[in-house]
């Protein structure tokens, strides 16, 4: 029984350390009307909100940030973000994306095991069947 108690105590310590190891990154891109925002992510909670400014604002929180690869770039066509967990060590955490986009932005998402919240958007959505491979 004592061994089981030690196991649970160790598990709680690991969980607490993971929660404390949140890395936050912020991005701000000036964009033209009709720009494209592309996000490829896995194991993430994504919150997209529209606004009336010509910029893309992103706040990214990575649990166990050392276990993630995050790349972001911008060109004349749009803004691109890719977030992938590293093998083995990355399996510890999730990511949270809070993204604010111009109302006229085109949104392209490639997601794996994610949750998406679309807030303050007025749009039509056309989604592929969920069982279709990417």
């Amino acid at each position: 029984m004592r061994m089981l108690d030690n196991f649970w105590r160790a598990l709680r310590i690991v969980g607490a350390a993971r929660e404390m190891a949140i890395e936050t990154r912020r991005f701000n891109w000036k964009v033209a009307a009709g720009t494209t925002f592309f996000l490829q992510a896995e194991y993430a909670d994504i919150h997209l909100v529209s606004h009336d400014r010509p910029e893309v604002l992103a706040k990214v929180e990575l649990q166990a940030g050392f276990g993630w690869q995050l790349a972001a770039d911008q060109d004349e066509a749009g803004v691109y973000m890719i977030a992938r967990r590293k093998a083995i060590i990355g399996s510890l955490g999730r990511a949270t994306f809070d993204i604010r986009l111009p109302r006229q932005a085109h949104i392209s998402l490639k997601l794996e095991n994610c949750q998406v919240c679309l807030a303050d958007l007025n749009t039509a959505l056309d989604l592929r069947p969920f069982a279709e491979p990417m």
Side-chain angles (χ1 to χ4, degrees):
M1 188 68 162
R2 180 180 170 105
M3 200 159 133
L4 186 59
D5 288 339
N6 288 339
F7 171 76
W8 286 115
R9 187 174 302 133
L11 192 59
R12 283 192 299 272
I13 290 170
V14 168
R18 183 182 74 161
E19 293 299 320
M20 288 188 294
I22 294 177
E23 181 179 327
T24 301
R25 298 186 193 178
R26 295 180 187 276
F27 301 91
N28 183 345
W29 296 279
K30 301 294 183 195
V31 296
T35 195
T36 295
F37 175 75
F38 172 80
L39 174 63
Q40 179 178 344
E42 57 187 24
Y43 297 93
D45 300 319
I46 301 158
H47 188 230
L48 301 173
V49 180
S50 64
H51 64 179
D52 293 320
R53 292 176 292 199
E55 60 188 356
V56 174
L57 305 171
K59 176 183 168 191
V60 181
E61 293 180 347
L62 305 170
Q63 283 183 341
F66 53 85
W68 286 86
Q69 293 176 315
L70 177 66
D73 201 3
Q74 178 183 23
D75 64 17
E76 60 279 348
V79 173
Y80 312 92
M81 295 185 81
I82 299 174
R84 292 186 181 147
R85 298 191 312 176
K86 293 179 182 175
I88 300 173
I89 198 162
S91 65
L92 295 174
R94 285 187 67 83
T96 302
F97 291 84
D98 287 315
I99 312 289
R100 298 192 181 279
L101 302 160
R103 292 191 193 284
Q104 303 82 13
H106 174 77
I107 301 169
S108 180
L109 304 172
K110 184 175 181 183
L111 308 174
E112 182 179 328
N113 295 310
C114 293
Q115 294 182 25
V116 178
C117 175
L118 306 173
D120 195 28
L121 296 177
N122 296 313
T123 189
L125 294 174
D126 183 22
L127 301 173
R128 289 191 226 170
F130 291 146
E132 186 176 313
M134 294 194 284

